[in-house]
Amino acid sequence: MTNIQFAKRLQPLQSNVFADMDRAKALALAAGVQLIDLSLGSSDLPAEAHVIEAIAQSLHDCTTHGYLLFNGTQGFREAAANWYEQKFGIKVDPQTEVLPLIGSQEGTAHLPLALLNPGDFALLLDPGYPSHAGGVYLASGQIYPMPLREENGFLPVFADIPAPVLAQSRMMVLSYPHNPTAAIAPLSFFQEAVAFCQQHNLALVHDFPYVDLVFEQTGDWEKNLPNSKSKIQNPQSLVPSILQADPQKSVSIEFFTLSKSYNMGGFRIGYAIGNAQLINALRQVKAAVDFNQYRGILNGAIAALTGPQAGVKTAVATFQQRRDAFITALHRIGWNVPTPQATMYIWAKLPSPWSQNSIEFCTQLVKQTGVAASPGAGFGKSGEGYVRFALVHEPSLLETAVERMAKFLNSN
């Protein structure tokens, strides 16, 4: 067989904890263990009927069956811009400040190709979502992990970043509400981040998929909104957008996906919004990689953004009920985990003897009980000692999972 030489940029992509967990789940199923999969943050709730109907109607329109170029996405871009203005009070130009994406993951994976030269640094959260690192590796960049510690509210400390790293850095990636820790960030933190990135000439990237999955009022940040003609009196979001800290969009770009708020993960639809130069650079990369999604999916996304929002409220209430049931069950077995205010995840500190071996904990847990979870180490070095549970089942099944975990912990 020919000895094919592969690019060095693939080397850091070869180790994948989640692929290892998939193999562990397959072995458990093969052994006849009933699986309760809490490892993947994919909503089990359905998309709303009016969204499905918009897509279904598009299927019968043959004009939707061809390639879709940028100008053909104008209706979707306008809906996205209007959604942002209503939710955050931020004026957005749909022509230059919005770009459709195949989910926010496409944005975080492709933007480094537009920003990084080989060897340049990206400042990433640790722990953080794995695709943030993957995009940097594909761009032959370097990663400087910003540790997130419980005593700091799982927020990075910008002053800890070494000056030589900053001199070679081109971008910072944030994401709040945060996956995997479920932490939230106040507007004051985003204002600090914007000022820091302006000072050091960094692009500020904010991955924002969990904007709607917030369960409680998270603080009186509205009064701290920067003065802006586009400000509205009653923002509809309980958590701030990065653009509220950077209303001029001087350094910031934000990624939103319809996967969580609208249960459209399988439809792969999201968008970038923010600084026009960053949007244009990402558009150039995207043009070299793909066309846009099927127009019918964009029609469904327009229906989601502009139509009734009762489904969003139902989803939030559902995940809050699941959160409460799971946390109550964990406390009942003596595993005292803080109650998160956002996301569909529980970030739990591992008990002894697993406190520094999250991969082995998750491997043995699924092998012995069928309960699958995500090891904290899979999200970065600072994630070691934790495990992430995704609340993607009904409360009764979540309680069953905790009962199985109790037996596992007592026997190990």
Side-chain angles (χ1 to χ4, degrees):
M1 183 177 177
T2 303
N3 186 21
I4 299 174
Q5 299 296 313
F6 291 96
K8 293 180 181 179
R9 67 175 60 90
L10 288 183
Q11 292 176 1
L13 303 179
Q14 292 173 0
S15 177
N16 188 323
V17 169
F18 302 103
D20 295 340
M21 285 307 303
D22 278 344
R23 284 189 287 271
K25 287 187 285 187
L27 289 173
L29 283 171
V33 179
Q34 182 189 20
L35 195 66
I36 302 178
D37 194 347
L38 309 181
S39 66
L40 186 62
S42 178
S43 175
D44 59 315
L45 304 179
E48 289 294 291
H50 66 280
V51 173
I52 300 302
E53 180 62 22
I55 297 172
Q57 290 298 321
S58 301
L59 292 172
H60 302 287
D61 179 0
C62 65
T63 66
T64 70
H65 296 178
Y67 291 125
L68 183 61
L69 301 180
F70 180 77
N71 286 338
T73 69
Q74 183 171 343
F76 172 71
R77 287 183 279 113
E78 289 175 348
N82 290 335
W83 188 87
Y84 250 75
E85 181 173 358
Q86 292 170 14
K87 203 170 191 70
F88 302 110
I90 299 293
K91 285 285 187 181
V92 177
D93 183 348
Q95 190 64 25
T96 62
E97 296 177 338
V98 183
L99 183 70
L101 297 173
I102 306 172
S104 62
Q105 182 165 328
E106 181 201 350
T108 57
H110 282 162
L111 187 60
L113 293 171
L115 289 172
L116 302 180
N117 290 313
D120 286 343
F121 274 100
L123 310 175
L124 304 187
L125 301 180
D126 176 20
Y129 190 60
S131 79
H132 298 170
V136 176
Y137 289 134
L138 288 176
S140 298
Q142 299 186 75
I143 291 171
Y144 180 81
M146 299 184 291
L148 306 183
R149 297 188 174 91
E150 187 175 4
E151 58 266 28
N152 296 325
F154 295 110
L155 300 175
V157 179
F158 301 139
D160 291 344
I161 303 170
V165 170
L166 276 175
Q168 203 175 337
S169 297
R170 300 293 177 265
M171 62 186 293
M172 175 189 289
V173 182
L174 302 175
S175 183
Y176 292 96
H178 184 241
N179 177 15
T181 70
I184 57 175
L187 183 65
S188 58
F189 168 79
F190 287 132
Q191 290 170 330
E192 180 187 356
V194 168
F196 184 86
C197 290
Q198 289 172 335
Q199 178 184 355
H200 296 285
N201 298 314
L202 304 174
L204 180 52
V205 183
H206 187 228
D207 197 8
F208 203 26
Y210 299 99
V211 52
D212 289 309
L213 289 188
V214 183
F215 307 122
E216 303 163 9
Q217 181 58 273
T218 58
D220 187 16
W221 57 266
E222 181 189 343
K223 65 183 180 182
N224 296 319
L225 282 172
N227 292 327
S228 169
K229 292 181 181 179
S230 65
K231 176 181 174 181
I232 55 177
Q233 294 302 312
N234 297 299
Q236 296 177 13
S237 177
L238 295 179
V239 289
S241 159
I242 197 70
L243 301 183
Q244 288 173 291
D246 186 13
Q248 303 305 316
K249 310 179 191 74
S250 63
V251 293
S252 305
I253 186 171
E254 194 156 67
F255 297 125
F256 175 72
T257 173
L258 280 77
S259 297
K260 312 302 181 183
S261 299
Y262 298 99
N263 305 315
M264 294 179 68
F267 295 96
R268 308 311 305 136
I269 178 65
Y271 55 85
I273 196 161
N275 178 276
Q277 289 178 299
L278 292 173
I279 291 289
N280 185 60
L282 183 56
R283 180 181 169 186
Q284 288 177 279
V285 173
K286 184 176 178 63
V289 175
D290 63 61
F291 287 97
N292 294 285
Q293 293 91 322
Y294 169 55
R295 189 191 297 271
I297 292 177
L298 265 66
N299 289 341
I302 292 170
L305 294 172
T306 63
Q309 300 297 298
V312 178
K313 295 180 180 179
T314 298
V316 173
T318 298
F319 283 111
Q320 181 168 351
Q321 181 187 28
R322 294 175 180 186
R323 177 204 65 174
D324 293 344
F326 195 72
I327 289 289
T328 299
L330 286 177
H331 289 180
R332 191 182 302 128
I333 68 170
W335 195 345
N336 293 317
V337 176
T339 302
Q341 290 180 286
T343 78
M344 57 172 64
Y345 306 114
I346 303 297
W347 184 242
K349 186 176 290 187
L350 285 167
S352 180
W354 309 98
S355 58
Q356 289 302 312
N357 201 341
S358 59
I359 295 176
E360 183 66 14
F361 171 85
C362 289
T363 301
Q364 291 301 318
L365 180 67
V366 72
K367 179 180 179 181
Q368 296 181 35
T369 72
V371 176
S374 293
F379 298 95
K381 182 180 178 181
S382 295
E384 184 56 279
Y386 290 85
V387 61
R388 191 198 75 177
F389 299 103
L391 303 172
V392 292
H393 293 290
E394 293 297 320
S396 59
L397 199 56
L398 293 174
E399 291 169 350
T400 298
V402 175
E403 291 171 4
R404 293 188 191 180
M405 287 192 289
K407 295 177 182 178
F408 172 80
L409 292 170
N410 290 332
S411 63
N412 288 272

